[in-house]
Amino acid sequence: MTKVAIVTGGTRGIGAAISIGLKEAGYTVAANYAGNDEAATRFKEETGIAVYKWNVGDYDACQASVAKITADLGPVDILVNNAGITRDTTLSKMTKEMWDAVIETNLTSNFNMTKAVWDGMKERRYGRVICISSINGQKGQVGQTNYSAAKAGAIGFIKALAQEGARYNITANAIAPGYVGTDMVRAVPEKVLEKIVGQIPVGRLGEPEEIARAVVFLAAEEAGFVTGSTLTINGGQYIT
Ligand code: CAA
């Protein structure tokens, strides 16, 4: 039986490349999305990957959706917590709603989704949990106190989880992408983005497939000794 993978935020941007990369590597993939039905339908038609709509910030919806995916496709072996949003502004202008939205979608989602698959992974004594963090969780970024806090939180989350999962053959790792050419990055004001690209030694934005490659590596059975690590993929912009 092929292994089953869930990719949250898996129909667009980096998530879409991860879903496709895992499918090409032989996994059965369920791609989650929250809002954009049109993009999800197109993605499903183009790739043949099953799509499921729910809000990863909603604990009960995560439980119900993982149960449905398990019934449809089989028990979940690989979880990629990729879904994320931005609500960028400086702290002075940041509202409580902007803070809460980012923490819920980008950080609490890691708890919600991992809870839904964790006991099954422990019972089967196998699992891979991969959280997509960010360069801005490592170095911080003006205008992103909410996002930087959530993405740094994901790194702490996998470090603790890795220790709990090790005896069950479950690994937990993070990937910290730099600036990748997606809608999220293209939403940054052009002048600001130009400056940021100027700070990337390789001289360009990353490609979603360059992140997907690393997810496929961490998802493999052969990566069982890699746990609690954060893989930095940012064109040399921030070297940890
Ligand atoms: N250091 C400290 N403060 C700075 C600064 C700097 N280098 N540059 C600007 N500021 C502060 C000013 O002090 C001022 O602060 P207050 O609001 O407290 O007065 C504020 O910025 C004024 O800035 P502007 O009037 O120029 O701009 P703004 O309010 O319209 O927008 C911004 C500011 C939201 C931060 C905007 O510059 C921006 O969007 N920057 C990019 C943020 C970013 O990189 N986001 C990443 C999105 S992609 C992503 O998140 C994916 C990933 O993982 C990499």
Side-chain angles (χ1 to χ4, degrees):
M1 214 170 78
T2 60
K3 289 193 166 64
V4 174
I6 295 180
V7 182
T8 69
T11 65
R12 293 196 302 133
I14 291 175
I18 294 170
S19 297
I20 293 166
L22 288 172
K23 185 186 180 207
E24 286 174 355
Y27 301 97
T28 301
V29 178
N32 149 270
Y33 73 103
N36 192 332
D37 291 310
E38 202 185 312
T41 305
R42 204 177 328 118
F43 177 80
K44 185 182 174 184
E45 282 168 8
E46 284 171 8
T47 63
I49 292 171
V51 298
Y52 293 84
K53 183 177 184 177
W54 79 91
N55 171 8
V56 292
D58 178 336
Y59 182 86
D60 294 334
C62 291
Q63 293 285 330
S65 301
V66 169
K68 171 145 182 47
I69 290 167
T70 303
D72 289 353
L73 307 176
V76 179
D77 303 296
I78 296 146
L79 170 63
V80 185
N81 287 313
N82 165 77
I85 59 169
T86 52
R87 296 287 183 272
D88 291 358
T89 195
T90 51
L91 187 73
S92 305
K93 296 175 200 138
M94 190 174 291
T95 62
K96 175 81 162 57
E97 286 71 27
M98 294 166 91
W99 173 267
D100 287 344
V102 169
I103 296 298
E104 197 170 274
T105 304
N106 297 14
L107 179 59
T108 307
S109 58
N110 291 328
F111 170 77
N112 294 344
M113 284 304 299
T114 308
K115 272 290 274 186
V117 300
W118 190 248
D119 288 344
M121 287 180 175
K122 278 175 71 181
E123 272 162 33
R124 293 188 306 282
R125 298 196 162 254
Y126 187 82
R128 299 278 181 266
V129 178
I130 300 159
C131 292
I132 306 302
S133 176
S134 164
I135 183 175
N136 293 341
Q138 295 174 303
K139 72 167 185 61
Q141 167 65 37
V142 171
Q144 289 201 307
T145 48
N146 49 5
Y147 188 90
S148 298
K151 292 298 186 179
I155 293 173
F157 178 74
I158 62 92
K159 285 183 176 176
L161 194 67
Q163 296 177 54
E164 295 187 19
R167 69 189 61 183
Y168 302 103
N169 199 22
I170 306 170
T171 65
N173 291 288
I175 293 173
Y179 284 72
V180 175
T182 62
D183 292 345
M184 182 185 273
V185 166
R186 281 189 284 267
V188 172
E190 206 177 314
K191 279 227 161 73
V192 178
L193 189 57
E194 261 172 35
K195 240 171 129 181
I196 290 170
V197 174
Q199 294 160 1
I200 303 174
V202 304
R204 63 170 174 86
L205 296 175
E207 298 290 338
E209 292 72 21
E210 292 176 300
I211 310 304
R213 241 178 118 74
V215 172
V216 171
F217 165 73
L218 291 171
E221 267 185 61
E222 292 79 0
F225 207 54
V226 185
T227 196
S229 71
T230 299
L231 181 50
T232 292
I233 309 176
N234 63 27
Q237 187 185 349
Y238 183 70
I239 297 174
T240 56

